[in-house]
Amino acid sequence: MLRDIRAELLKQTRRPASWLLLAVAVVLTLTFGYAVPYAGLDGAPASGGPGAGRGLSAMLPDAFVGSALGGLPIFVGALALIFGVLVAGSEYGFGTWKTVLVQNPSRVTVFGAKLVVVTVAALATVLALFAADAGASALVASLQGRALVWPSASDVLLGLGAGWLVTTMWGALGVLLAVGLRSVALPIGLGLVWLLAVQNLLASVAAPLLTWVADLQKVLPGPNAGALVASFGASAPGVERIVGSGQATAVLAGYLVVFAGLGGWLLHRRDIA
């Protein structure tokens, strides 16, 4: 298993797309968490949408955890899903599943190694977001002449854990879609449609009109990811505290187990050709 994990890690770290996805996640988080709000700090908000009127307090060091987590339910989640698809789906695109399995590891072992790599990449992404946002918040505080007041270590660790769970869950969904559809393009397309379009339409159009859709929101992965990061003070589209952090954590952990288990089962049972 360790040999397979090392091989998969080496493969993904040498892939430019992996680093590009990480860079895009950091740049987007800094842009919409700090650059845009800071540029509009002195002006009146143009609308009352999510994040409108984001004040200076949300950009100071004691609030950097929420700022780092704000993009996880939407664009960082989408990037994690793409990474998960690339980790598993590229084997179908390159036709290398047989080449990998002929080296004698079982399908379950190879699948487990890919999931471990997705988990490690999710942790690295969240750590990078926290480091970048901490630096940006310190810069904002120095520009505004504010004291550097940081959140407690327990809050930072809890935020890291929450972000890790959300990012890993989206990555595992990408792996499941890649194995289920045995390709790269279609899983990415369907995953992004769900994450960036369907979820928002359900929350903004259907839920206010239909009670059962509003109730359904409480068990879907996106709204629960938004609820979990909202408990850390995040403010962004898709971030709303519709359930408690405990329920959100349990639901997301359940989805992670289901995505991983179903993906492994499909790979074990189906033809890889």
Side-chain angles (χ1 to χ4, degrees):
M1 182 72 172
L2 289 176
R3 182 190 63 175
D4 298 283
I5 293 173
R6 285 198 297 269
E8 193 64 37
L9 277 173
L10 181 63
K11 187 163 56 178
Q12 299 308 324
T13 53
R14 290 188 174 184
R15 170 178 274 177
S18 302
W19 298 104
L20 177 61
L21 291 172
L22 176 61
V24 171
V26 172
V27 169
L28 288 179
T29 300
L30 291 177
T31 299
F32 293 105
Y34 290 93
V36 173
Y38 192 83
L41 196 59
D42 296 329
S47 70
R54 182 181 167 89
L56 175 63
S57 61
M59 291 181 278
L60 294 177
D62 62 343
F64 89 87
V65 173
S67 297
L69 297 176
L72 295 185
I74 304 295
F75 56 81
V76 178
L79 295 168
L81 184 146
I82 292 172
F83 180 76
V85 171
L86 292 177
V87 168
S90 295
E91 306 291 358
Y92 295 100
F94 298 143
T96 49
W97 269 118
K98 291 180 180 178
T99 305
V100 172
L101 295 175
V102 79
Q103 308 299 319
N104 288 328
S106 69
R107 295 188 184 191
V108 174
T109 300
V110 175
F111 183 79
K114 290 183 179 299
L115 278 182
V116 170
V117 170
V118 169
T119 303
V120 172
L123 178 60
T125 300
V126 177
L127 287 172
L129 294 179
F130 270 56
D133 280 48
S137 66
L139 177 61
V140 170
S142 65
L143 291 174
Q144 294 293 321
R146 301 297 183 94
L148 293 177
V149 181
W150 299 98
S152 66
S154 61
D155 287 342
V156 174
L157 289 176
L158 286 173
L160 280 171
W164 190 13
L165 175 61
V166 173
T167 310
T168 305
M169 186 272 296
W170 289 126
L173 176 58
V175 172
L176 170 61
L177 290 174
V179 172
L181 299 173
R182 291 188 286 195
S183 61
V184 173
L186 185 59
I188 289 177
L190 292 179
L192 294 183
V193 167
W194 172 264
L195 227 159
L196 301 179
V198 177
Q199 281 193 159
N200 286 330
L201 290 173
L202 287 174
S204 60
V205 177
L209 300 175
L210 302 171
T211 304
W212 66 270
V213 176
D215 293 335
L216 181 64
Q217 291 280 90
K218 297 178 182 178
V219 294
L220 292 178
N224 277 277
L228 183 56
V229 303
S231 66
F232 291 91
S235 174
V239 175
E240 185 179 357
R241 203 166 185 172
I242 62 171
V243 298
S245 59
Q247 177 178 332
T249 301
V251 171
L252 294 175
Y255 273 110
L256 175 57
V257 172
V258 169
F259 292 157
L262 186 56
W265 181 80
L266 284 174
L267 183 63
H268 179 69
R269 296 287 297 180
R270 297 173 67 192
D271 188 358
I272 61 172

